Amino acid sequence: MNVSPRVKEILSWYEGENPGVKTNLARLLMHGKLGGTGKLVILPVDQGYEHGPARSFQPNPPAYDPHYLFQLAIDAGLSAYAAPLGSLEQGSDTFAGEVPLILKVNSANSLATGVPDQAVTASVDDALRLGCVGIGFTMYPGSDQCFAMQEELRELTREAKSKGLMTVVWSYPRGGAVTKSGETALDIVAYAAHMAALMGATIIKVKPPKAGVDLKAAEKAYETVKQDTLTDRIRHVMQCSYAGKRIVVFSGGDAKDADSLLKEIGEINAGGGFGSIVGRNSFQRSHDDAVALLDKIIGIYKG
Amino acid sequence: MNVSPRVKEILSWYEGENPGVKTNLARLLMHGKLGGTGKLVILPVDQGYEHGPARSFQPNPPAYDPHYLFQLAIDAGLSAYAAPLGSLEQGSDTFAGEVPLILKVNSANSLATGVPDQAVTASVDDALRLGCVGIGFTMYPGSDQCFAMQEELRELTREAKSKGLMTVVWSYPRGGAVTKSGETALDIVAYAAHMAALMGATIIKVKPPKAGVDLKAAEKAYETVKQDTLTDRIRHVMQCSYAGKRIVVFSGGDAKDADSLLKEIGEINAGGGFGSIVGRNSFQRSHDDAVALLDKIIGIYKG
Amino acid sequence: MNVSPRVKEILSWYEGENPGVKTNLARLLMHGKLGGTGKLVILPVDQGYEHGPARSFQPNPPAYDPHYLFQLAIDAGLSAYAAPLGSLEQGSDTFAGEVPLILKVNSANSLATGVPDQAVTASVDDALRLGCVGIGFTMYPGSDQCFAMQEELRELTREAKSKGLMTVVWSYPRGGAVTKSGETALDIVAYAAHMAALMGATIIKVKPPKAGVDLKAAEKAYETVKQDTLTDRIRHVMQCSYAGKRIVVFSGGDAKDADSLLKEIGEINAGGGFGSIVGRNSFQRSHDDAVALLDKIIGIYKG
Amino acid sequence: MNVSPRVKEILSWYEGENPGVKTNLARLLMHGKLGGTGKLVILPVDQGYEHGPARSFQPNPPAYDPHYLFQLAIDAGLSAYAAPLGSLEQGSDTFAGEVPLILKVNSANSLATGVPDQAVTASVDDALRLGCVGIGFTMYPGSDQCFAMQEELRELTREAKSKGLMTVVWSYPRGGAVTKSGETALDIVAYAAHMAALMGATIIKVKPPKAGVDLKAAEKAYETVKQDTLTDRIRHVMQCSYAGKRIVVFSGGDAKDADSLLKEIGEINAGGGFGSIVGRNSFQRSHDDAVALLDKIIGIYKG
Amino acid sequence: MNVSPRVKEILSWYEGENPGVKTNLARLLMHGKLGGTGKLVILPVDQGYEHGPARSFQPNPPAYDPHYLFQLAIDAGLSAYAAPLGSLEQGSDTFAGEVPLILKVNSANSLATGVPDQAVTASVDDALRLGCVGIGFTMYPGSDQCFAMQEELRELTREAKSKGLMTVVWSYPRGGAVTKSGETALDIVAYAAHMAALMGATIIKVKPPKAGVDLKAAEKAYETVKQDTLTDRIRHVMQCSYAGKRIVVFSGGDAKDADSLLKEIGEINAGGGFGSIVGRNSFQRSHDDAVALLDKIIGIYKG
């Protein structure tokens, strides 16, 4: 693997990390159809945990089988596959070495109500044992549990990095001062990305931001932030992520028609976003449709 | 013990597990009258803890004696016997090697009110010391304690598997977004089974699902799920358990007349369920009635 | 598995052990063609470590493959298969649950000279992870390293038993006051067996004793010990093993002709020995010859 | 990375290992010009430690610089680069992700006399921190320190594998019953490889064996072992390595003329050896000569 | 403190180290009269331990007082002061922050005979507690204790660096294959420096090498190594220290006349050495003579 100049440039931004973390980041960034471009598309499948199995897999029943999901990530030439413990255990032997794996180490579920929170359901040693390049963690800034979640994240990050693993942080503001519709407002998403960078995330995942400011105190600051188009807004989120020197990827969100999705991804790319995490928009389509759509997404990031 | 081809096939689905876990799973699946078929019937006796002794044992007073319960599991040729610490300690020397044991490591009681939860009342080292093939754990997805319970389960699972023991997870949604009657709705039971699989359960125990959808958000997904008969519903639960590649067993539920129970078990078997956990329907009958009924149940699973 | 009355009687002699150890002992004693008789035949293959691969496997080249050895133990209906770490790792997934395994946790080699000793090359946690019923350990009473070896044995035994595993002790006097030819003298072998019992061995392995007394100080005591026939001598070794209440098995020794071996085993059985550990006399023969010979050995122990 | 069918076959022989170990083995076997063939060529540079810097690097002074050695492994398209701690620390940031790394965790030196031994000079956590695929360890069976070295190896192997890293074992009999000239006799080399397999080595490194038997006790066994050509002898060493189911690589030995080396490698390949570890024969030549020679070596293994 | 370009270049060679280690190295390299030049002069005072107090301090009795030694290092504008635990404890409060400190963590004494060795007499936590920039450690490659010493060094280095401290390694071959006069032969000194680099030393201390080769096996390699002048020999030692990319400092040796010392230092500087460790040649002179001499030494390194 000759690490490309662009990937070497990206690695240089992570100067505080040991060679192990950089090696695992290089493995991910050099893998799949986008290998070497510095862009990435990840298949995440924790929706079964979050929303239940039928809402997740009934639109495309072969996806009930964990092996199908590994194979989809491989067939589509994606950069990585992220999933909870049980799902990785069920396929990581069969598919050893075929696609970089990210172990999602905490999980929420739709049956729980009350304060937004997640259970820590896997460990750094599990990630090592399963051959993963990193761990994934969701935090809910704003939640009454946000300090506890960030303390969990800190401990897991410290351990992961000391053992050469990356951390991927899903930063999803929820609760507290954040209104329901404000969860994807520009100021909130930018704040979420920034906080993840401050926590030491190697890769940051946020949702594509809508125009608007949710926190009253932030309104004045946003008078000079251009936010008319999604491209503008992505550019601002990237700026809030160490002036673009952290890898930020954006979720595809609810399943939607392909054209809307591709247009959105065109703007993410134009705004300097590093890539997408595409879950329901891939595994809820048939295998061939999903591979075809992911190929178009990859084409956009290839430029 | 020549491990049967069917059991070898089942073991192959647990590719992430070490040979110790597979050996203990093989011990259970090769034991008793169903040995080698891939089907299983387990005697669980934690009702004394959950409901108090008189509600549990007064219908058949010999069952007050723990030795009676070991002997019942042996006489009926069951696959395993599951019970809390004290009960196993009281008979595991006398009955060493005669029936696979599962140590139930957490327990609720009927005196406590408030948030659904259980106490961790035994350890993995207890299970090793008592010669068990695995540990059992109950979680209540939906409960305000569900994240804490899942973290307990995760730690116990990690330790158990590293020492070659299986985990059996009783997944019983309760509280939160789950209505009382919805606890056995199809979507909730399927979700419960799926979550246990994602947590890494070796064997999953849920209740037989009723028709209906409890979570509003899941209604649309269920439009295409066939759920007219219990057979249909079992089939769906199995699909939600890694496309049928996890062992799921179903509780017998409240004591009921034998015919209803046998009909229900016929449908569990027809739907691809792996077996039953039969507590009150066995130990609350007289010894001979229980053995006779269990023999009929076993007959159904033998096909 | 209905544990036979004879095996239950044997288990009763191990009253200090927890149910886990008894369960694993029961698994071994109820397994294979001798299952339930209280007699046992074990296939040990650590000769590759001790004598090198060609001396061990060249007489029957298929035995170079570890899977062959698992299969031999299974095909011959033996009670257990004992081997070092690498060999068990190389087959314990494929053969999970098919034959009780004993992990040999220390090993010598023929290249080393100097004080008789062995390296500890595996751990109790390895044994659990690989699904073993126990660990095996060789000690050399008499060696200048004998106290260190016994301290290693003590630590490993303590840990193994606390986790429900048996210990099998190869007790081979060597060095110190023991002459080379005296290593198999009656007094030395009896002493070796007794020391293993005193160390807490679950199963004791010694060599068939020759007539004669090696330690001068013991000569007087042996005036009243009958030792004319091997049967007499085996009877004495058993007496020295807690009046026959410890399982003692005898090695087959160097490869020899079948008739000599069967005659020897007839005497071991007549003298109350519990069984044989047959290595070179089985795996250095062709598969079919080995199975046939082992069947005759088993026939003798069945009586 | 589509793992090739041949590499998947090789991975299947390591059934006792977790997916992490298999993933790291797949990374090595899919890397470089031999990626996917199942064959491998490794650049090892610990000669500076073993023989001193001038004996190692004076023939080609650019090699005094650790970066030169990383670059050589990359330019030649080798499978991996193995070196002691300081050397990997000095380049693993610059070359992160460009070539699989093996951290040599023990080291001898030419100044020490007395019992053959090595110092443990690095740890498993160092290997993780530096992004390595595995650790390397030298043992000297026969040495009066051999039991202590094997116990060190056992502990390091256990920790490495639990964290998903491979172990590469340099097995070099020395001292004890081994004569100086016998160190590379066929029986000794075969025994060395076998012992490493029994210790759980993922990759075994030995020297190409000469004809002859060094241990008197082994002479008879070798009467039926064909050893006329190096090809024959390699075949025997592979047979002693779990019937060819362990990866064994052979050292290039002292610097020698290219034709002799290539002829030797042709025989290693013909005999079923998996590859070569080429140190002095590569880094003591000029960069371009080394790359050209390594390309020829790779050509032979490509077949 | 603006870190000079030359010091930044030196820091870049330590790419495997965390920012803490680099920060402490920068503190040392930016301190004193040589601050920013990349050169350094260190005052070491462990001769009291090594040779006894009178041999060390009687020539200049004020040096019996530890405060005198701190003050000398400060007055002379040295880069650092290195001493054993008690000496640093006795002055590090008074002189907190005035001169970078190195805690010498092992010590020999002249009363002991037998195998060359040292006692570990201080810990990494002591160094942190006393505000040191690093620890110092002496190893004796060649000694029968050399493997044990290297294992101590490895553990101390790992801990020191993980806590952001540098390691300074005194590498003094002694015993084994090294003749008494050969201890400062060129091949031995170069080997000593190389080994320290491989162990991960931040700063390496060796003695100025004499012409000649002590190890017979190295003679051939040295045919092409220019060693006529000390300058030549220093250049070779630097080449053996990662092609000059490790900081190597040279001892002043026995007390000698100023002119000889200055001439020697002129050659060390000309050969690319990074500086000197000057003990007896400074503290055994009167304060003013010592400061004057050190100023001349510093002048040479300033160029």
Side-chain angles (χ1 to χ4, degrees), chain B residues 1 8 20 22 93 97-98, chain C residues 1 8 22 93 97-98 129:
Chain B
M1 179 169 67
K8 279 181 179 269
K22 290 184 188 176
D93 185 84
E98 304 215 52
Chain C
M1 180 168 70
K8 280 183 180 269
K22 291 186 186 174
D93 185 84
E98 303 214 54
R129 170 173 68 83

Side-chain angles (χ1 to χ4, degrees), chain C residues 95-108:
Chain C
F95 298 98
E98 303 214 54
V99 59
L101 300 176
I102 295 161
L103 178 61
K104 189 71 187 359
V105 296
N106 67 347
S107 305

Side-chain angles (χ1 to χ4, degrees), chain C residues 184-187 189-190 206-211 229-230 233-234 237 250:
Chain C
T184 52
L186 178 57
D187 64 322
V189 171
V206 291
K207 295 182 180 170
K210 295 180 308 193
T229 66
L230 178 57
R233 298 190 294 271
I234 296 289
V237 172
F250 296 84

Side-chain angles (χ1 to χ4, degrees), chain B residues 99-110:
Chain B
V99 60
L101 300 176
I102 295 161
L103 178 61
K104 189 70 182 8
V105 295
N106 69 345
S107 306
N109 69 72
S110 298

Side-chain angles (χ1 to χ4, degrees), chain C residues 124-140:
Chain C
V124 171
D125 280 345
D126 290 318
L128 290 170
R129 170 173 68 83
L130 295 171
C132 300
V133 296
I135 59 168
F137 185 95
T138 299
M139 67 172 174
Y140 297 138

